[in-house]
Amino acid sequence: MTEEGHPGARMAVGLVHHPVVNRQGETVTSSVTSLDVHDLARLCRTYGVHSLYIITPLPAQARLVERLIRHWTAGYGSGVNPERKEALSRVMVVDRIEDMLDNFGLGVNGAVVMATSARKGPGAVSYREARRILAGAPKAAALFGTAHGMAAQAMSLANIRLEPIPGVDDYNHLPVRSAASIILDRLLGRDE
Amino acid sequence: MTEEGHPGARMAVGLVHHPVVNRQGETVTSSVTSLDVHDLARLCRTYGVHSLYIITPLPAQARLVERLIRHWTAGYGSGVNPERKEALSRVMVVDRIEDMLDNFGLGVNGAVVMATSARKGPGAVSYREARRILAGAPKAAALFGTAHGMAAQAMSLANIRLEPIPGVDDYNHLPVRSAASIILDRLLGRDE
C-alpha cells in the first residue's frame, strides 16, 4: 500500500505537554523528552501518519525540539541517518492544541479529534468503531497526553474518547511511547 | 481477567543485546538503555507477562541493570513509585539467550520460542496464528533484538519467526520499545 489513500494520510498525532495532570491531578506543563519525539516520529512514519505535532507553550522547549528536527532533517544528521530524516521531516512544534487543530485544518465538517486516556470515561469508543469512523473522516487527529495524562480542558477539545488499552487487569501505567504505538497499530495497522 | 490463566502468565520476554547486528550487518553487543528496561517492564506488567529478561554478556551493563532494579524494587524508589516496583520486580539479567531459555524452563515439549524481526524471512507466522499457538503452549518466549536486530545465531534459537509489523509501506525502523508494544498487544491484547 502507498501512503496516499490510507487513513493515516489524513491524520495528525499530537503529543500534549500542556495542559496535562501530575500524579496529584494538578494541571501542569510537562517537559519535552527528546526520545518521545524520535519514537513518535518513527511510529508516525511507519503508519503513514501525515504530521506529528509536539505541543508545548514553553519557548525554550519549543526551540529544543526545533533544533533537534533541524539537525536530523537539514543538518549533519540528515546525511548519516536518512530514516531519521524521513521520520522527523513530518514533525512540527506548536504552542497549544488549538493551534494544531487550526494548522491541520481540523475545523472542517466531519473531522474527528480523538482523545486517548489510561482512565475509563463515559462514552468511550472501541478501536473497531474508531477504525470505521476514521475510514469516513475527511481529517482526523489523535491526542496523547504526557505526564499523568491530558487535563479535562484538553480532553474537551476532542469529539471522541478512545477506550484505555486493555491489559490483563487494571494496571494502567504504560509509557506514552508504548500507548501511542499500540493505539496507532489498532487504528491503522494491517494484518498480513 | 486476572493474571493467572492468561497466556502471558506462561510467557517471558527477552531483550537481546548480544548477538545483534549493527547497520553494516556485523555482529555486535549493544549497550543497555535504561529506558528500554523501564518501558518493557511496564509493558510486560500491563499484559501479564511473567518475566522480562535483559540479556547482556557485559558484566558492567548487567550490574547497571541490577542496580536499577534494586533501586525501584527495594531501595528508595520502591516507596515513591509503587507501579514501577510492580513492573521492575519481574525483570532479571542473564548473560545469554540460552540462560533465559534454561531459567524459564523453555526446554519442555511444546514450548514456543518466538523471534521478532523487522526483516521478512521464510516461514514467518502471522499474529493470528501465533495467538492460536500460544493458547496451547505450556511455556513461551518472545525475543526482541536491539540495535539493527538479532543476529542469525540468535534467530536460530527460536522455533517460530513472527511477521514484521506491517506499516503503510516498507519503512521498518520502529524503536524496539514500539515494536515490542505492538507485538505484545497483537499477541496478548484484548478488545473491549
Side-chain angles (χ1 to χ4, degrees):
Chain A
M1 196 184 286
T2 58
E3 280 204 50
E4 300 89 61
H6 185 266
R10 307 188 299 275
M11 188 167 155
V13 163
L15 184 65
V16 180
H17 298 85
H18 180 88
V20 292
V21 294
N22 65 11
R23 184 180 281 272
Q24 286 75 40
E26 300 153 345
T27 297
V28 295
T29 301
S30 64
S31 291
V32 173
T33 304
S34 66
L35 199 97
D36 286 349
V37 180
H38 281 290
D39 280 14
L40 266 71
R42 288 157 80 181
L43 180 69
C44 286
R45 171 59 190 89
T46 300
Y47 288 100
V49 169
H50 189 282
S51 298
L52 169 62
Y53 291 83
I54 308 297
I55 300 161
T56 175
L58 302 178
Q61 300 266 298
R63 279 198 301 273
L64 186 91
V65 180
E66 278 157 358
R67 202 161 60 220
L68 181 157
I69 297 169
R70 224 166 30 240
H71 174 76
W72 291 106
T73 58
Y76 177 73
S78 64
V80 297
N81 197 328
E83 302 88 34
R84 217 168 266 211
K85 176 179 180 175
E86 224 186 302
L88 287 167
S89 62
R90 59 189 70 202
V91 185
M92 73 197 80
V93 190
V94 292
D95 286 356
R96 301 175 315 142
I97 298 173
E98 290 87 338
D99 297 329
M100 168 188 167
L101 304 184
D102 280 352
N103 186 276
F104 198 65
L106 282 149
V108 297
N109 240 346
V112 171
V113 180
M114 294 174 285
T116 61
S117 176
R119 292 180 299 275
K120 287 183 198 254
V125 160
S126 72
Y127 293 92
R128 189 182 307 262
E129 175 67 4
R131 278 181 87 105
R132 200 193 55 72
I133 293 169
L134 280 183
K139 290 262 184 176
L143 301 174
F144 295 93
T146 56
H148 285 252
M150 286 193 283
Q153 74 185 98
M155 295 298 289
S156 72
L157 294 171
N159 49 22
I160 282 184
R161 182 188 181 120
L162 291 172
E163 290 276 4
I165 294 295
V168 76
D169 55 22
D170 287 338
Y171 183 91
N172 60 355
H173 302 282
L174 282 177
V176 70
R177 299 173 287 278
S178 283
S181 302
I182 294 163
I183 289 171
L184 287 193
D185 186 56
R186 285 182 168 228
L187 294 175
L188 301 170
R190 293 175 297 135
D191 276 323
E192 289 281 85
Chain B
M1 196 183 288
T2 59
E3 280 204 51
E4 300 88 61
H6 186 267
R10 306 188 300 274
M11 188 167 153
V13 163
L15 184 65
V16 180
H17 299 84
H18 180 88
V20 293
V21 294
N22 64 11
R23 184 179 282 269
Q24 286 75 40
E26 299 153 344
T27 297
V28 295
T29 301
S30 64
S31 291
V32 173
T33 304
S34 67
L35 198 98
D36 286 349
V37 179
H38 281 290
D39 281 14
L40 267 70
R42 288 157 80 180
L43 180 69
C44 286
R45 171 61 189 87
T46 301
Y47 287 100
V49 170
H50 189 281
S51 299
L52 168 61
Y53 291 83
I54 307 299
I55 300 162
T56 175
L58 302 179
Q61 299 265 298
R63 280 198 300 274
L64 186 91
V65 180
E66 278 157 359
R67 201 160 63 221
L68 182 157
I69 297 168
R70 223 164 32 240
H71 174 77
W72 291 105
T73 57
Y76 176 73
S78 63
V80 297
N81 196 327
E83 303 88 34
R84 218 168 264 213
K85 176 181 181 175
E86 223 186 303
L88 286 167
S89 62
R90 60 188 71 204
V91 185
M92 72 197 81
V93 190
V94 292
D95 286 355
R96 300 176 315 143
I97 299 173
E98 290 88 338
D99 297 330
M100 168 188 168
L101 304 185
D102 280 352
N103 186 277
F104 199 64
L106 282 150
V108 298
N109 240 346
V112 171
V113 179
M114 294 174 286
T116 62
S117 176
R119 292 180 299 276
K120 287 184 199 254
V125 160
S126 72
Y127 292 92
R128 190 181 305 263
E129 175 67 3
R131 278 181 88 104
R132 201 193 54 73
I133 293 169
L134 279 183
K139 290 263 185 175
L143 301 175
F144 295 93
T146 56
H148 285 252
M150 287 193 282
Q153 73 184 100
M155 297 297 289
S156 72
L157 294 171
N159 49 23
I160 281 184
R161 181 187 181 122
L162 291 171
E163 290 276 5
I165 293 296
V168 76
D169 56 22
D170 287 337
Y171 184 91
N172 60 356
H173 303 281
L174 282 177
V176 69
R177 299 173 287 279
S178 282
S181 302
I182 295 162
I183 289 172
L184 287 193
D185 186 56
R186 284 184 168 228
L187 294 175
L188 301 171
R190 292 175 298 135
D191 276 324
E192 291 281 85

